[in-house]
Amino acid sequence: MPELVLELNGRTWTLDPSRPYTLGRDPQGDIPLDDARVSWRHATVSWGGRSWLIEDHGSTNGTFVQGRRIHQMEIGPGSTVNLGNANDGPRLVLTSPAAAVAGRQQVREQPPRQTPPPEEPARGGPGWVQPPPQQQQPPQQNWQPQQQHVGQQPPTPRQPVAQPPLPRQGGGSPQDPGDGAWAPPVYGDRSPTTFHQVALGRRMRIGRALENELVVSDLQVSRLHAEFTASPDGRFEIRDLGSHNGTYVNGQPLPKSGTALLGPNDIVGVGHSTFRLVDGRLEEFVDSGDISFSARHLTVTVDGGKQILKDVSFGVPEKSLIAVIGPSGSGKSTLLKALTGYRPADEGDVLYDSRNLYKQFAELRQRIGLVPQDDILHKELTVRTALKYAAKLRFPADTTGQEREARISEVLRELKLDVHAEKKVTSLSGGQRKRVSVALELLTKPSLIFLDEPTSGLDPGMDRDVMQLLRGLADDGRTVLVVTHSVAELAICDKLLVMAPGGSVAYFGPPEEALNFFGYQSWADVFSAFEEYRDYDWAGRWKGSQHYQMYAADIDAVAPQSVEVPHTRATRPPKPQGWFPQLWTLMRRYVSVIVSDHGFMGLMVALPAVLGLVSVVIPADFGLGPPTVKGEFNTDAGTIMLILAVGMCFSGAANSVRELIKERVIYERERATGLSRSAYLVSKIIVLGLITAVQGVIICAIGFLPRKLPEKGLIISGLPAVEMCVVISALGLTSMMFGLVISSLVRTQEKTMQLLVMFAIVQVVFTGTLFKVFDSPGVEQFAWLMPSRWAIAGVGTTLDLSRISPVDQKNPGNLDPLWAHEASQWAINLSVLLFIGLVCGIAVVRLLRRHEPEVMRK
């Protein structure tokens, strides 16, 4: 076991192979380095049994050998390592003792006192450090699945390993694991970004505007956001100044313009900045991306007690790229929802830099980006326009257009999309569209980005481009976690999480060691083994391995912050904009989408025109007015009105039947960022309602102009056509609301067409013109639920349809009461028709809740 001499900044250390040595800014470390680019616990140098190894501990700025960032690597005499920067970071020079320069000060480091130097660990025994994969022999295939008998379990791992340590109860610091009351700093082991003195009796305003005493350059922060007050009696108070994205105390939002007293352990969140009072001084921590993230014992149970996620624990280093793979049914999508807070786990915690994501979701959601598998943008818009509307919805209302445009341009340049800014999204390639989805999330500068199957459906070249993009995002200072089925580009990731069938962890660690861990040559073999041995305890194999000790056993070593989270009402996070500004932005965006879709605009005019012309084809000697020959009936009047009414039903419902389902992914994501559910729905109703009203006018104009009409109406004297057109348009609006109900119910767009046809046919049957509906118990009551029944009745009152074309012509005195030629009956018919539309609107609001993050619903 040769010794190794490490030279740094004119000092030398002779390293003893019997113990590891830690490097970092920690003064209590073995080799302290006073450089801001070096993390607190940056790396470890240790003897690996065959050679010396250096292992990076997920440092912020990385460890470099020959200009290449490494995670773990063999080193020896002649090696040089740079910490924090590949070019000018602190440089470690490694030599052998015999080659050390004579006369240079040598400080031989001894093991800690009261701890005798341990003997060299036996290979495979407790304390043995597995050498890197490039030095290992090819894995011995001790178990070949194709040779196993049915029901036989795969044997235990190839190497005997030590048992993992027991989790610490109640948390505790690494220095004092028994103290459950220990609370870590706001941002792990990092020092505050800056300090601010708070004078007693003074106020300190926080905001984006330059006139504030404490200026925060963050578009998530309002111009005048919050205010600290230090009372002469020593009390400190925080007051929200009506901010758009809210002021948070211990993760809980203050009411608009509300106040709260602050204690020594309270933390205040404003945008990406967090503040804490320490000895009368205000410490500021800026979340610039170097955050830790961990999942602890996540378990998700569905109806029936079935667990689809089982005790999932892993820790994510800061500014790293993590891939999650696994066969179908391994819980990858469920895990993603649990990690983002969309569907919190039933058991366990998700920690964002030691802060509980579930309890402080209202604040931390602004720092997390999520790119679903489907594109979260309107493909009919140009790239810049799509980002412009997204910025309007996500940034505070007091953000200027120049500020939004500057941020959009910055993101486009970062992702190399500036050359595609004026192209429609639908004209881009699959990889470029995925870049636009990522750009939308980067607008708010999230520190943590999740992606669900970003390479799905892409060719190998685009697959590589997308993964290289994610690698660049991590290197630029973000933590990126990607769920993927592609295994071609796993080597560029920092860590790999492999999920086993049933929702448990089968492996977590460096991707280059994963296949060796499983003992296979390809991932196809690993996934086949998962499928063939679904009942095998893959999680137990993982937890009993050396890899578990190296990469996951210490996940419970850091306790979540012990701040007091008060029991409050269902916390409703503030919205970045008020209701009316959101409504106006959503309406403008929706109109832009419709105008960009020339096919939809043409169909919008053609459909009612064709339906109106169909009614003109029907012969009508007596028009729609009363018969000219005494004793005869106008038998065509009811048929004509049936065609017009059913055509309006179909046209109105067709306008909206796909509008919610096709935007479901967009709605889910925007709802999580503060979109108002009611503003979203009302924007749809207003725009589609105007379109439907225009269609109603087109249908009525074509259907009524060639016809003879009554001389006067019941409500609008002299204009019976206008009176009937109002009813027909109201029918279209109510049918449009039925279409929204269908769109919010179905799970795929394909199902909307069948329900649309069924809706139209049912309307035909229960109009009351084909057969006698009134005085038919059960049938009459069911017909009251049909919009066409009340629309035909409304038009029938104006035409006096019960007299000129009674349904029961053998008994003309047996009249439909809803067709009574009275102004009051016309008003009743129209009111009931609109009331049905209102009930449909309430139903859509309730149904939309199913497509929101569960933590927000609660």
Side-chain angles (χ1 to χ4, degrees):
M1 295 188 297
E3 295 179 329
L4 187 69
V5 175
L6 184 151
E7 299 182 16
L8 172 67
N9 295 334
R11 298 187 62 191
T12 62
W13 287 261
T14 301
L15 308 186
D16 192 321
S18 64
R19 55 160 299 204
Y21 293 80
T22 60
L23 297 82
R25 294 201 330 269
D26 185 0
Q28 305 300 319
D30 300 302
I31 304 176
L33 294 92
D34 187 14
D35 191 298
R37 295 169 295 181
V38 178
S39 296
W40 194 259
R41 292 184 69 250
H42 194 103
T44 297
V45 177
S46 61
W47 173 254
R50 295 182 178 181
S51 61
W52 286 92
L53 302 173
I54 184 167
E55 180 180 4
D56 186 273
H57 288 302
S59 62
T60 301
N61 296 313
T63 302
F64 301 85
V65 175
Q66 296 181 349
R68 183 172 64 91
R69 186 167 182 170
I70 58 99
H71 166 71
Q72 185 186 66
M73 189 173 183
E74 284 188 338
I75 56 176
S79 300
T80 58
V81 180
N82 288 86
L83 305 180
N85 187 283
N87 299 318
D88 59 352
R91 187 180 186 188
L92 312 181
V93 179
L94 305 170
T95 60
S96 63
V101 179
R104 178 174 294 183
Q105 178 185 4
Q106 297 187 8
V107 180
R108 183 177 181 86
E109 295 293 309
Q110 298 295 336
R113 296 180 181 178
Q114 301 177 356
T115 304
E119 298 180 358
E120 179 184 4
R123 178 176 177 83
W128 177 67
V129 179
Q130 185 176 359
Q134 59 265 31
Q135 295 299 321
Q136 294 180 358
Q137 298 298 323
Q140 301 295 324
Q141 295 285 352
N142 286 346
W143 56 282
Q144 298 289 343
Q146 60 269 23
Q147 299 175 0
Q148 297 291 328
H149 298 290
V150 177
Q152 182 177 355
Q153 293 184 346
T156 54
R158 188 164 48 88
Q159 296 290 350
V161 296
Q163 294 297 322
L166 294 176
R168 293 183 176 137
Q169 301 296 325
S173 85
Q175 289 81 15
D176 186 12
D179 184 7
W182 173 78
V186 176
Y187 282 106
D189 57 8
R190 288 180 287 283
S191 302
T193 306
T194 186
F195 301 91
H196 307 278
Q197 295 297 330
V198 182
L200 295 179
R202 296 288 301 276
R203 296 184 178 184
M204 178 183 293
R205 288 181 306 172
I206 303 175
R208 205 174 69 247
L210 296 179
E211 59 263 28
N212 293 284
E213 288 78 15
L214 201 163
V215 179
V216 179
S217 300
D218 182 358
L219 291 183
Q220 295 289 83
V221 177
S222 299
R223 297 184 63 82
L224 300 176
H225 196 104
E227 185 178 71
F228 275 106
T229 302
S231 303
D233 58 2
R235 294 189 306 167
F236 295 92
E237 184 181 78
I238 182 68
R239 180 165 70 93
D240 182 82
L241 298 179
S243 63
H244 296 279
N245 279 326
T247 303
Y248 300 84
V249 177
N250 299 330
Q252 306 304 305
L254 286 177
K256 289 281 186 179
S257 303
T259 62
L261 291 176
L262 299 178
N265 293 325
D266 292 330
I267 56 174
V268 177
V270 174
H272 286 79
S273 296
T274 304
F275 301 90
R276 181 178 59 182
L277 286 165
V278 178
D279 298 329
R281 184 177 62 175
L282 192 63
E283 296 183 347
E284 179 182 3
F285 300 81
V286 178
D287 187 348
S288 58
D290 49 348
I291 60 98
S292 62
F293 184 80
S294 62
R296 304 203 310 182
H297 312 296
L298 299 183
T299 300
V300 174
T301 306
V302 296
D303 297 337
K306 179 181 178 181
Q307 289 185 341
I308 56 178
L309 210 62
K310 299 179 182 178
D311 194 27
V312 174
S313 297
F314 63 94
V316 176
E318 58 191 29
K319 298 183 179 180
S320 58
L321 174 60
I322 297 89
V324 180
I325 65 172
S328 299
S330 59
K332 299 188 300 295
S333 297
T334 303
L335 175 63
L336 190 65
K337 293 179 180 179
L339 294 176
T340 56
Y342 271 44
R343 199 289 188 191
D346 300 305
E347 300 177 23
D349 298 309
V350 175
L351 301 183
Y352 180 103
D353 242 9
S354 303
R355 301 177 66 182
N356 192 303
L357 176 64
Y358 297 158
K359 294 182 179 179
Q360 304 184 32
F361 180 78
E363 176 187 356
L364 298 179
R365 65 173 183 164
Q366 302 176 18
R367 309 182 190 183
I368 296 177
L370 173 62
V371 181
Q373 182 173 349
D374 297 324
D375 294 326
I376 50 175
L377 36 84
H378 294 87
K379 298 179 182 179
E380 300 83 0
L381 302 178
T382 65
V383 172
R384 187 178 295 277
T385 302
L387 295 180
K388 180 184 72 174
Y389 285 117
K392 280 180 173 290
L393 290 172
R394 298 193 181 194
F395 290 145
D398 62 3
T399 307
T400 64
Q402 292 80 2
E403 289 175 316
R404 290 193 298 267
E405 287 294 334
R407 180 57 187 156
I408 291 172
S409 299
E410 181 183 350
V411 171
L412 290 175
R413 287 193 300 269
E414 180 180 359
L415 298 183
K416 298 180 176 59
L417 287 170
D418 44 347
V419 295
H420 305 292
E422 305 307 325
K423 296 180 182 178
K424 285 189 176 182
V425 176
T426 187
S427 68
L428 302 179
S429 65
Q432 291 168 343
R433 285 202 302 271
K434 193 58 63 178
R435 282 178 178 265
V436 178
S437 294
V438 173
L440 190 149
E441 291 300 313
L442 291 185
L443 288 174
T444 54
K445 296 185 178 180
S447 300
L448 188 62
I449 302 178
F450 293 91
L451 299 99
D452 187 11
E453 299 288 355
T455 60
S456 177
L458 302 183
D459 60 51
M462 289 185 179
D463 181 356
R464 180 182 58 192
D465 291 344
V466 171
M467 293 301 292
Q468 290 288 353
L469 165 68
L470 303 184
R471 177 72 266 172
L473 293 177
D475 292 339
D476 288 341
R478 305 174 185 90
T479 300
V480 183
L481 188 145
V482 53
V483 174
T484 180
H485 276 107
S486 175
V487 297
E489 302 297 330
L490 295 180
I492 69 174
C493 300
D494 297 300
K495 289 288 192 298
L496 175 65
L497 175 66
V498 182
M499 300 294 293
S504 57
V505 177
Y507 173 83
F508 179 72
E512 62 270 16
E513 301 178 17
L515 286 176
N516 189 40
F517 172 82
F518 288 106
Y520 283 103
Q521 299 298 321
S522 69
W523 284 109
D525 294 333
V526 175
F527 280 30
S528 295
F530 282 153
E531 184 64 27
E532 187 170 357
Y533 298 98
R534 297 186 69 89
D535 296 330
Y536 177 63
D537 187 10
W538 296 100
R541 181 177 187 267
W542 155 244
K543 292 181 179 179
S545 69
Q546 184 72 22
H547 281 77
Y548 178 84
Q549 294 186 23
M550 295 173 62
Y551 303 115
D554 61 346
I555 196 67
D556 291 306
V558 178
Q561 286 180 345
S562 57
V563 295
E564 185 70 21
V565 178
H567 177 72
T568 61
R569 62 197 180 288
T571 306
R572 191 175 298 277
K575 298 177 176 60
Q577 294 186 15
W579 192 86
F580 284 104
Q582 278 198 9
L583 175 64
W584 179 240
T585 300
L586 290 167
M587 288 175 58
R588 290 177 58 194
R589 183 178 70 177
Y590 193 26
V591 170
S592 298
V593 171
I594 292 175
V595 171
S596 301
D597 191 347
H598 301 295
F600 178 81
M601 291 187 65
L603 186 62
M604 178 187 72
V605 177
L607 181 61
V610 170
L611 294 174
L613 289 172
V614 169
S615 69
V616 176
V617 175
I618 300 175
D621 296 336
F622 307 118
L624 291 176
T628 58
V629 181
K630 186 176 181 180
E632 294 185 2
F633 296 108
N634 188 341
T635 56
D636 294 322
T639 305
I640 294 171
M641 295 315 305
L642 172 65
I643 295 297
L644 293 176
V646 173
M648 194 68 250
C649 276
F650 185 84
S651 182
N655 288 337
S656 61
V657 75
R658 291 191 175 187
E659 290 307 302
L660 298 184
I661 180 62
K662 75 178 184 181
E663 291 186 359
R664 182 160 297 171
V665 176
I666 299 175
Y667 172 75
E668 289 177 358
R669 182 63 192 130
E670 291 184 342
R671 178 67 177 140
T673 60
L675 179 69
S676 168
R677 183 195 311 131
S678 58
Y680 175 78
L681 180 58
V682 171
S683 70
K684 295 289 186 186
I685 294 174
I686 292 177
V687 176
L688 291 175
L690 291 174
I691 293 174
T692 304
V694 171
Q695 291 176 327
V697 172
I698 295 174
I699 285 182
C700 293
I702 297 176
F704 292 158
L705 284 179
R707 311 293 184 185
K708 178 183 177 181
L709 300 177
E711 296 181 357
K712 61 180 182 178
L714 294 173
I715 302 297
I716 307 175
S717 179
L719 297 173
V722 175
E723 192 173 288
M724 292 188 292
C725 188
V726 169
V727 177
I728 293 296
S729 297
L731 172 62
L733 292 174
T734 302
S735 300
M736 180 201 74
M737 298 304 298
F738 263 98
L740 291 176
V741 171
I742 295 173
S743 190
S744 60
L745 274 174
V746 298
R747 296 186 180 275
T748 61
Q749 293 191 44
E750 290 74 17
K751 295 180 180 178
T752 58
M753 286 298 99
Q754 295 93 322
L755 293 176
L756 175 61
V757 173
M758 183 180 68
F759 170 74
I761 292 176
V762 171
Q763 300 309 306
V764 173
V765 175
F766 292 96
T767 55
T769 59
L770 295 180
F771 63 94
K772 178 182 173 183
V773 173
F774 62 95
D775 291 339
S776 299
V779 175
E780 180 179 14
Q781 286 70 33
F782 183 77
W784 290 345
L785 303 176
M786 301 296 112
S788 61
R789 167 68 169 148
W790 297 98
I792 290 293
V795 175
T797 56
T798 299
L799 292 175
D800 197 8
L801 201 60
S802 61
R803 183 175 64 84
I804 68 173
S805 183
V807 178
D808 189 358
Q809 296 182 4
K810 295 182 179 180
N811 300 292
N814 191 10
L815 304 178
D816 190 333
L818 299 186
W819 294 3
H821 189 58
E822 300 173 358
S824 59
Q825 187 61 51
W826 183 91
I828 291 174
N829 294 336
L830 181 63
S831 299
V832 174
L833 186 60
L834 295 176
F835 177 75
I836 293 175
L838 178 62
V839 172
C840 289
I842 296 174
V844 175
V845 171
R846 301 297 299 177
L847 291 171
L848 280 176
R849 293 183 71 252
R850 302 184 308 161
H851 310 298
E852 299 174 2
E854 187 171 322
V855 69
M856 294 187 68
R857 280 184 266 159
K858 294 182 178 180

